[in-house]
């Protein structure tokens, strides 16, 4: 009869043998390789995407590798969507607006005028107010997987000459996003489209008078603080909406655990950007050595806020989907205002 002592002894020996057996985790013979291009140039990309890609490649441990390319390295930014849709590029980090997405939600990508005040508004709108489902549906229609959305910095003017009133914007040639440019023409701004890497030279040659592309963190990080003198504290929007996308066929070919790993690493990237920008915006306003701050008085800036509401209504009239998104943005902001501090206050 097996005694309790012998059972435990034999069980322990068997268990020890099992634990001692080496576990061999061999990477597959042909790792999956993706090519990914970001809207960001190399200096900015070091912060806003490279850490997440490096993290993914380490954790994937040879099963999959993402090769990262910066702005315009494979295709011009305005052709990113088409290149991803066709499979020339597997994955993209961009806003909808910059990559010329042919969807109903494109106008809301980048900086939708005065629709957001803080970076946390973006994940709240996508995850709690239904924008995520709308984006997923719109991109699935055109063969693209919308992986996730996140916030970047607010949008401010960085200029050669000081901006102290709306009148100072008249005739200024400004590099900005398509939708932001469309809105800013109401105040005499002349939007200019150029390759991202040409902006610094265009400021030096006088082709541009200013940049409305980012917050102050990015102005310093990419070197634009070397060719501008002033930073306007009033912002066009409180946060940029950017996304990670993938070619739908490439996404569907991934095993579930790699799909989840891609999503988790990109979500971590969104979180990293939130605190990197949030800290940088305040610190560089106070301690940045190169740019002088200017402000348009609140009473005058209220004209811009009123014009933004009118702009939203114009956008809503263009399609049912756009109307649905505008209604959500209005509902969200109404709740924030009624909630009071710290959500919204004058």
């Amino acid at each position: 009869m097996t005694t309790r002592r012998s059972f435990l002894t034999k069980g322990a020996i068997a268990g020890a043998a099992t634990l001692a057996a080496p576990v061999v985790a061999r990477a597959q013979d042909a790792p999956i390789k993706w090519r990914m291009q970001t809207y960001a140039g190399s200096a900015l990309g070091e912060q806003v995407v490279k850490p997440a890609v490096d993290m993914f490649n380490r954790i994937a441990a040879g099963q999959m590798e993402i090769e990262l390319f910066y702005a315009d390295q494979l295709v011009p930014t305005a052709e990113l969507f088409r290149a991803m849709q066709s499979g020339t590029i597997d994955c993209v980090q961009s806003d909808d607006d910059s990559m010329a997405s042919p969807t109903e939600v494109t106008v809301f990508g980048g900086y939708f005028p005065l629709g957001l005040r803080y970076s946390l508004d973006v994940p709240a709108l996508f995850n709690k107010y239904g924008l995520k489902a709308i984006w997923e549906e719109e991109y699935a229609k055109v063969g693209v997987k919308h992986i996730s959305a996140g916030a970047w910095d607010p949008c401010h003017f960085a200029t050669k000459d000081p901006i102290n009133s709306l009148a100072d914007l008249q005739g200024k040639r400004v590099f900005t996003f398509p939708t932001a440019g469309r809105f800013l023409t109401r105040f005499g701004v002349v939007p200019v489209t150029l390759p991202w890497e040409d902006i610094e030279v265009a400021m030096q040659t006088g082709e541009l008078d200013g940049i409305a592309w980012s917050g102050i963190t990015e102005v310093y990080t990419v070197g634009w603080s070397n060719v501008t003198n002033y930073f306007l504290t009033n912002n066009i929007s409180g946060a940029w909406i950017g996304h990670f996308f993938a070619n739908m066929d490439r996404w569907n070919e991934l095993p579930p655990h790699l799909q989840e790993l891609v999503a988790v690493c990109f979500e971590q990237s969104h979180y990293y950007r939130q605190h990197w920008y949030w800290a940088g915006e305040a610190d560089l306003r106070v301690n940045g050595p190169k740019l002088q701050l200017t402000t348009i008085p609140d009473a005058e800036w209220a004209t811009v806020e009123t014009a933004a509401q009118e702009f939203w209504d114009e956008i809503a009239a263009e399609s049912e989907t756009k109307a649905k998104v505008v209604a959500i943005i209005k509902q969200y902001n109404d709740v924030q205002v009624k909630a009071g501090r710290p959500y919204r206050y004058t």
Side-chain angles (χ1 to χ4, degrees):
M1 181 178 294
T2 303
T3 65
R4 180 173 180 272
R5 181 179 178 86
S6 65
F7 174 81
L8 290 174
T9 302
K10 291 175 181 177
I13 293 172
T18 301
L19 290 174
V23 178
V24 180
R26 185 174 62 86
Q28 60 195 55
D29 294 333
I32 300 166
K33 289 187 179 291
W34 271 17
R35 297 200 303 172
M36 174 182 179
Q37 184 170 310
T38 174
Y39 80 100
S42 57
L44 181 62
E46 286 286 331
Q47 295 289 342
V48 301
V49 65
K50 189 176 184 295
V53 171
D54 289 345
M55 177 190 296
F56 175 86
N57 288 338
R58 287 194 303 270
I59 300 172
Q63 294 183 44
M64 179 173 170
E65 180 183 352
I66 297 175
E67 186 178 7
L68 178 63
F69 296 87
Y70 296 111
D72 306 311
Q73 283 190 331
L74 293 178
V75 298
T77 298
E79 297 176 17
L80 275 177
F81 176 84
R82 296 299 183 191
M84 172 175 53
Q85 187 185 43
S86 67
T88 302
I89 298 173
D90 304 296
C91 186
V92 163
Q93 180 199 43
S94 179
D95 66 281
D96 318 72
D97 216 11
S98 297
M99 69 177 190
S101 166
T103 69
E104 289 294 315
V105 295
T106 295
V107 71
F108 303 103
Y111 292 112
F112 191 61
L114 300 172
L116 307 161
R117 181 168 289 191
Y118 306 119
S119 58
L120 273 175
D121 292 339
V122 175
L125 279 163
F126 273 81
N127 296 300
K128 297 297 183 182
Y129 277 73
L131 292 193
K132 180 177 176 63
I134 295 173
W135 258 250
E136 287 177 349
E137 181 179 353
E138 285 300 307
Y139 278 95
K141 292 176 183 177
V142 290
V144 167
K145 168 66 179 177
H146 176 263
I147 299 172
S148 62
W152 274 249
D153 48 343
C155 185
H156 295 258
F157 283 92
T159 55
K160 288 182 178 178
D161 301 321
I163 304 297
N164 294 298
S165 69
L166 292 179
D168 292 334
L169 293 175
Q170 288 289 331
K172 291 291 189 293
R173 295 160 297 179
V174 176
F175 173 66
T176 189
F177 291 84
T179 299
R182 174 179 165 184
F183 173 69
L184 290 170
T185 57
R186 298 169 183 238
F187 306 98
V189 171
V190 180
V192 178
T193 301
L194 290 170
W196 192 90
E197 70 273 13
D198 292 346
I199 303 311
E200 188 169 345
V201 173
M203 287 295 301
Q204 292 172 313
T205 62
E207 187 177 355
L208 289 175
D209 301 304
I211 302 162
W213 180 266
S214 68
I216 198 168
T217 307
E218 204 159 307
V219 172
Y220 272 88
T221 300
V222 304
W224 293 338
S225 59
N226 298 324
V227 293
T228 54
N229 302 313
Y230 298 93
F231 182 84
L232 182 66
T233 61
N234 310 77
N235 59 48
I236 301 166
S237 180
W240 188 74
I241 302 177
H243 314 266
F244 288 99
F245 306 94
N247 174 280
M248 187 67 81
D249 290 337
R250 298 291 84 73
W251 176 262
N252 290 335
E253 289 168 2
L254 293 182
H257 75 287
L258 287 179
Q259 289 180 346
E260 188 169 1
L261 182 58
V262 168
V264 166
C265 289
F266 289 169
E267 195 63 37
Q268 196 280 335
S269 177
H270 294 313
Y271 171 69
Y272 176 87
R273 282 190 312 277
Q274 279 207 317
H275 62 74
W276 183 69
Y277 276 122
W278 184 259
E281 294 302 301
D283 177 65
L284 287 169
R285 284 194 188 195
V286 175
N287 299 312
K290 297 178 181 179
L291 300 176
Q292 182 176 335
L293 304 183
T294 64
T295 301
I296 296 174
D298 289 343
E300 188 175 0
W301 190 251
T303 305
V304 180
E305 295 173 342
T306 300
Q309 295 286 331
E310 296 168 356
F311 181 78
W312 294 3
D313 291 337
E314 290 176 15
I315 297 298
E318 293 178 355
S319 76
E320 183 178 342
T321 298
K322 291 176 182 177
K324 186 176 180 180
V325 174
V326 168
I328 290 172
I329 291 174
K330 286 186 174 183
Q331 177 195 6
Y332 175 78
N333 278 282
D334 182 59
V335 169
Q336 299 290 297
V337 169
K338 289 177 179 176
R341 296 175 183 270
Y343 298 96
R344 295 289 188 270
Y345 51 91
T346 307

